[in-house]
Amino acid sequence: MTVSIALFTQDLRLHDNPVLHAAHTAADQVVPLFVLDPAVEAAGFAAPNRLAFLSDCLADLDASLRRAGSRLTVRRGATAEQTARVAAEAGAGTVHVAAGVTAFAHRREARLRAVLGIRLHVHDASVTVLPPGRVAPAGRDHYAVFTPYHRAWRQAPHRSVLAAPRVIRTPDGIGSENLVFRGPLSPSLPHGGERAGRELRRRWDVDAYADVHDDLAADGTSRLSPYLHFGCLSATELTAGALQRGGPGAEAFVRQLAWRDFHHQVLAARPDAAHRDYRARDDRWHHDEHEAEAWRQGRTGYPIIDAGMRQLAEEGWMHNRARLLTASFLTKSLYLDWRIGAAHFLSLLVDGDIAVNQLNWQWVAGTGTDTRPNRVLNPLRQADRYDPTGDYVRRWVPELAHLPGPSIHRPWLLDGDYPPPIVAPEDLTARFQHGRPVLRAGERQDRPPGPPVHPVAGSGSKAGSWSRRSGHRPDPTPLTSDEEPR
């Protein structure tokens, strides 16, 4: 009787799981294993919101495994040591795990290989559609610009979607632990797990995505990013389903999944981009903790910014367009270091992913892969464009709900009780222009509002397309796993 271990990491699902499929194929019995490594907590990545979501995911995964005749073994401790211990208890001949892109994932794999040797099998294309490095420009180890990456990504073959195993046999006598997570939580967290993610995907209207994904009040984005981050849903399966469905909405959604892969391949090649500028701009960052805290609390005096920050605190999630605006405001208008914002987002976001979060923040700050690094998004123009009726702000800033229509975006003109803007509207670009020495003379920081630009049918791309009437080039990026130009 042969035994293998399926070591779950960011792939907490049964459907389309290369690790589970390989372990199930390789042996008569499988031990599904999850290890909560204290190193994750020590590194500051174990935010309470994500731990609560993780708890849901593990309970759901265990329930799914039990329906297949198996169960989830949970251990706490160093991943390599606990995996080796379970392998000894079960007499496992092989251990299967998904490849990761972060520095932590690389260290984990190295330690697993040190204790398991040739028994360790690492599977790529489990967390992403294409594994990092599968496509690369000649003479380089990764793409630094999204458009050519996306072209290569679409042309490269994607692996087939794998069915969930119907029956999984697991040896008896393998001990497991109960994990209890405590901490202050956002009040309206989504429920985690594969079943919740698949139901959300089933109910979401992908056909409307191309038209409504930037509409803040419509809330028409998929909200699938937490389920992608924890691997409750497979990016490969989502991509295959969307491509099969077709249409502008599905194509636009697939493009966002490609953005997610793009950031993973950048971080795989440049792990230090998690905390260092990908492209140094010699920034002389402003320092003001009072302003940083006002931004965190949603008290900047700009309702569109405050609404986004309050949604984050309430839900552990934020609309993609709001992520873009709040990040631009912090890094370009207040001119505070992007790492301040990235750390705050990671402290609350259920979908807080190192590759996606850090590299989206760098994209907005102009230290990352954006080909227009000096753009500044004017929060008032953006509010007029993406929340024209003010309903998004009205939902999250109820003390301004009495203000009619779009006037809610400029409360200082009508309501003396709301905090005044912490930086004057006429000074929204001043600090950035003064602090970043590489600004090109005469470059415009924001385009005037124009009519919405929708993807060309069949392309699904809003990044890089131009409106011939307005001359406005749409902003190509937000900040989550599925809803962004990132």
Side-chain angles (χ1 to χ4, degrees):
M1 185 73 68
T2 56
V3 180
S4 64
I5 292 176
L7 177 58
F8 288 87
T9 53
Q10 282 184 273
D11 51 354
L12 305 180
R13 63 182 185 270
L14 265 61
H15 293 83
D16 192 45
N17 189 326
V19 168
L20 182 60
H21 180 268
H24 186 252
T25 303
D28 302 311
Q29 294 182 320
V30 177
V31 179
L33 173 65
F34 179 84
V35 179
L36 183 64
D37 197 321
V40 175
E41 300 175 82
F45 299 144
N49 283 347
R50 286 195 296 282
L51 288 178
F53 194 88
L54 172 62
S55 180
D56 290 344
C57 295
L58 296 178
D60 177 79
L61 179 59
D62 182 59
S64 296
L65 287 166
R66 288 180 184 276
R67 285 191 291 272
S70 181
R71 65 191 177 280
L72 181 65
T73 295
V74 177
R75 295 289 178 91
R76 184 190 293 269
T79 301
E81 294 173 5
Q82 291 298 321
T83 303
R85 187 170 298 168
V86 172
E89 293 174 15
T94 57
V95 174
H96 300 263
V97 68
V101 301
T102 65
F104 174 81
H106 293 160
R107 290 192 299 270
R108 179 181 62 202
E109 181 181 328
R111 289 166 184 161
L112 283 166
R113 195 168 298 284
V115 299
L116 296 171
I118 62 172
R119 290 185 293 165
L120 180 68
H121 299 266
V122 180
H123 302 270
D124 56 20
S126 181
V127 175
T128 54
V129 180
L130 286 188
R134 176 64 56 85
V135 294
R140 299 198 61 188
D141 57 359
H142 71 289
Y143 279 95
V145 178
F146 175 72
T147 300
Y149 174 80
H150 181 233
R151 191 159 43 241
W153 185 90
R154 286 299 299 261
Q155 293 171 353
H158 298 177
R159 66 168 178 79
S160 299
V161 175
L162 304 169
R166 293 179 178 273
V167 178
I168 304 172
R169 294 180 175 84
T170 297
D172 296 326
I174 309 300
S176 186
E177 298 181 39
N178 292 321
L179 299 181
V180 178
F181 303 119
R182 295 185 177 90
L185 303 178
S186 295
S188 302
L189 290 179
H191 190 76
E194 182 178 14
R195 295 183 73 184
R198 295 183 78 83
E199 175 61 18
L200 183 61
R201 184 198 66 170
R202 186 188 67 79
R203 290 189 285 106
W204 176 55
D205 182 10
V206 68
D207 295 330
Y209 181 70
D211 294 329
V212 303
H213 71 280
D214 271 329
D215 186 333
L216 284 160
D219 196 16
T221 59
S222 73
R223 289 183 174 255
L224 295 178
S225 53
Y227 303 93
L228 279 164
H229 170 64
F230 283 94
C232 306
L233 295 177
S234 157
T236 298
E237 185 179 8
L238 290 176
T239 299
L243 290 175
Q244 183 178 19
R245 185 176 186 88
E251 287 286 346
F253 179 59
V254 168
R255 186 179 180 88
Q256 306 318 309
L257 293 169
W259 267 105
R260 179 175 180 270
D261 273 19
F262 172 73
H263 285 318
H264 277 79
Q265 58 96 41
V266 172
L267 189 65
R270 291 277 301 276
D272 63 344
H275 53 86
R276 291 184 180 176
D277 291 350
Y278 179 76
R279 291 191 174 106
R281 304 295 182 187
D282 298 322
D283 285 295
R284 299 188 294 270
W285 296 109
H286 183 65
H287 300 279
D288 192 319
E289 180 54 29
H290 174 76
E291 290 184 351
E293 188 59 23
W295 175 84
R296 293 185 192 102
Q297 296 296 324
R299 304 289 290 174
T300 68
Y302 287 91
I304 195 70
I305 304 301
D306 298 343
M309 299 306 295
R310 296 185 193 188
Q311 182 183 24
L312 173 61
E314 173 71 21
E315 296 187 347
W317 186 88
M318 192 195 298
H319 190 285
N320 66 295
R321 176 55 52 174
R323 298 190 197 206
L324 179 62
L325 300 185
T326 55
S328 179
F329 185 81
L330 183 80
T331 59
K332 298 290 181 63
S333 295
L334 299 182
Y335 196 47
L336 299 178
D337 195 323
W338 64 266
R339 282 157 280 247
I340 295 172
H344 182 67
F345 270 33
L346 279 180
S347 74
L348 290 172
L349 282 173
V350 176
D351 61 24
D353 181 277
I354 295 297
V356 173
N357 186 68
Q358 308 302 88
L359 290 170
N360 269 307
W361 269 96
Q362 291 225 48
W363 189 96
V364 175
T367 62
T369 60
D370 186 11
T371 56
R372 290 176 56 211
N374 300 322
R375 76 177 84 207
V376 179
L377 300 180
N378 185 304
L380 299 177
R381 293 175 182 172
Q382 294 278 310
D384 291 340
R385 186 180 305 160
Y386 298 115
D387 189 28
T389 64
D391 287 344
Y392 176 74
V393 168
R394 209 163 276 113
R395 182 184 310 154
W396 294 109
V397 190
E399 64 266 38
L400 295 179
H402 63 284
L403 296 181
S407 67
I408 198 172
H409 297 306
R410 296 165 177 82
W412 55 87
L413 300 178
L414 298 172
D415 190 310
D417 294 332
Y418 198 70
I422 59 176
V423 58
E426 63 270 21
D427 294 329
L428 285 167
T429 64
R431 291 181 186 175
F432 179 59
Q433 290 175 324
H434 176 74
R436 178 166 290 182
V438 296
L439 278 174
R440 296 189 296 276
E443 180 174 351
R444 296 178 66 180
Q445 302 305 308
D446 194 12
R447 302 279 178 169
V453 182
H454 301 302
V456 177
S459 74
S461 169
K462 68 180 185 299
S465 61
W466 289 73
S467 163
R468 295 181 183 272
R469 284 191 296 160
S470 70
H472 170 62
R473 186 178 188 268
D475 312 310
T477 300
L479 286 161
T480 8
S481 276
D482 62 317
E483 334 291 2
E484 28 176 274
R486 309 176 249 269

